[in-house]
Amino acid sequence: MKILLVEDHQDIAGIIFDFFEIKGYTLDYAQDGVQGYALASNNYYDLIILDIQMPRMDGLTVCQKLREQGDDTPILMLTARDTREDTLAGFDCGADDYLIKPFDLDILAARIQALHRRRSGKNAAKVLTFQELSLDLKTHIASRNGCNFELNPTQFTILKLLMMRSPEIVTKNEIINAIWGEDEPEGDILRSHIYQLRNQVDKPFQHHYIKTLSKIGYQLVSVNS
């Protein structure tokens, strides 16, 4: 199982890391919400462990933003807050489970296993599709008409957003936040990434899926539209 741990308290993070690595799990780590959101948007995880009280972007906001962009990865919230209102707020923003600090590591492991079984039982999709275009969420490989394209992390994030939200429009700001968070580079770098993505999944074919809406964003358009 591949897990993303987003926790600003390094001592707690270290304990969790050691415990699960011994069990053979693979973990990525983020020490604030912005970094955690970027990792979750750019990579595939079986589960996310997400602290609520963090600098730069709190866990509730991270969870809500991931759900808004169509990410259905199971999320387990960690928090020192133990009021009824705080618990309901966590579930309201899209969390799947909620564990109050301090917690027992064996209980955390049991909750994670339960969430993983639940998702596996639903046979959660590992591949997104849009007409003849598909995207493997684990390998980051896009396919169209028998042709495979290995995408870099930025291209993967853009295409994943477009496919999850199709046929809706994804705004430029939504894509920028998914890739860079608050650290957007200078210049119109996004246009260059879109151009490179089009060269792979659109240029070799008669119909182009990726449509630009000037000053707004991008969307996927079907052959019959």
Side-chain angles (χ1 to χ4, degrees):
M1 194 187 306
K2 186 175 182 181
I3 296 174
L4 172 63
L5 171 62
V6 190
E7 165 66 67
D8 67 314
H9 196 294
Q10 293 190 3
D11 289 341
I12 294 176
I15 292 170
I16 294 174
F17 234 87
D18 291 343
F19 181 80
F20 284 104
E21 283 194 325
I22 290 173
K23 291 179 173 291
Y25 291 28
T26 300
L27 284 87
D28 282 349
Y29 172 62
Q31 62 182 358
D32 62 58
V34 171
Q35 185 184 12
Y37 176 66
L39 284 172
S41 298
N42 283 298
N43 299 278
Y44 176 85
Y45 295 101
D46 294 296
L47 184 134
I48 299 171
I49 302 174
L50 181 61
D51 186 30
I52 287 184
Q53 293 177 292
M54 290 185 297
R56 302 183 71 193
M57 186 188 296
D58 64 74
L60 295 176
T61 302
V62 173
C63 183
Q64 185 173 7
K65 286 170 71 69
L66 289 173
R67 295 307 187 223
E68 286 175 351
Q69 72 182 41
D71 193 324
D72 65 347
T73 304
I75 295 176
L76 188 150
M77 289 281 199
L78 298 179
T79 181
R81 301 173 179 175
D82 58 358
T83 68
R84 176 178 178 272
E85 289 73 20
D86 290 328
T87 302
L88 291 175
F91 286 118
D92 187 56
C93 74
D96 297 278
D97 204 352
Y98 199 97
L99 198 57
I100 297 170
K101 300 176 181 177
F103 51 84
D104 184 290
L105 286 170
D106 288 322
I107 296 296
L108 175 60
R111 297 279 187 92
I112 287 173
Q113 286 290 348
L115 288 173
H116 186 57
R117 284 196 302 271
R118 192 182 308 163
R119 192 184 201 204
S120 300
K122 292 179 180 178
N123 194 25
K126 300 294 188 295
V127 177
L128 300 177
T129 59
F130 180 84
Q131 295 206 318
E132 295 172 342
L133 179 64
S134 65
L135 178 64
D136 190 306
L137 298 179
K138 281 195 171 183
T139 64
H140 290 198
I141 292 177
S143 301
R144 183 172 178 181
N145 287 12
C147 299
N148 294 332
F149 314 97
E150 189 168 348
L151 306 179
N152 64 36
T154 302
Q155 293 166 350
F156 170 77
T157 299
I158 295 170
L159 187 57
K160 175 185 170 185
L161 270 176
L162 292 174
M163 294 183 75
M164 281 182 165
R165 296 278 293 278
S166 65
E168 296 178 10
I169 298 168
V170 182
T171 68
K172 293 177 65 176
N173 284 338
E174 286 175 317
I175 298 174
I176 288 169
N177 285 333
I179 299 171
W180 297 293
E182 296 178 350
D183 301 319
E184 178 189 356
E186 295 182 0
D188 195 356
I189 304 299
L190 178 58
R191 181 183 297 179
S192 175
H193 287 296
I194 293 288
Y195 175 79
Q196 293 170 6
L197 179 61
R198 280 189 168 124
N199 278 343
Q200 294 216 68
V201 302
D202 269 349
K203 189 174 181 179
F205 305 96
Q206 183 176 359
H207 177 78
H208 293 175
Y209 286 137
I210 302 173
K211 178 181 179 181
T212 300
L213 292 97
S214 181
K215 299 182 180 180
I216 300 174
Y218 304 90
Q219 69 178 146
L220 295 183
V221 293
S222 62
V223 173
N224 298 323
S225 61

